[in-house]
Amino acid sequence: ADGMDVPLVLREGDAVSHILAEAKAGGADLVVLSTHGRSGFDRFTLGSVAEKVLRKSSCPVLVVPAQAEAPAAPARLASSR
């Protein structure tokens, strides 16, 4: 965004721990995460980083759903001339 510097931070390891540590170290007022949109068994077996951050964070967390597929473009009617 204009006028806002947002650093890119890459880490290996436990995503939840790193996200929480970065939020604390940076004095975050808000953590914003996107979901992968998994549900059911996949979510159970793979876990949910967003859910764990939401439960453990000391500041508010905004979870944004995974982007849905773009709707198909409306059909264009051929103009009769």
Side-chain angles (χ1 to χ4, degrees), residues 3-80:
M4 183 181 291
D5 292 324
V6 179
L8 174 62
V9 179
L10 299 174
R11 300 276 189 263
E12 287 187 15
D14 179 52
V16 175
S17 298
H18 288 300
I19 291 168
L20 294 172
E22 285 295 325
K24 185 175 183 177
D29 295 321
L30 176 68
V31 173
V32 180
L33 299 170
S34 176
T35 66
H36 284 288
R38 292 186 183 106
S39 61
F41 187 73
D42 282 343
R43 182 168 158 218
F44 176 73
T45 57
L46 298 173
S48 170
V49 170
E51 184 175 348
K52 290 175 187 172
V53 171
L54 183 66
R55 293 180 187 277
K56 296 180 178 185
S57 179
S58 59
C59 69
V61 177
L62 174 63
V63 179
V64 181
Q67 186 175 10
E69 289 184 28
R76 296 187 182 262
L77 299 176
S79 59
S80 58

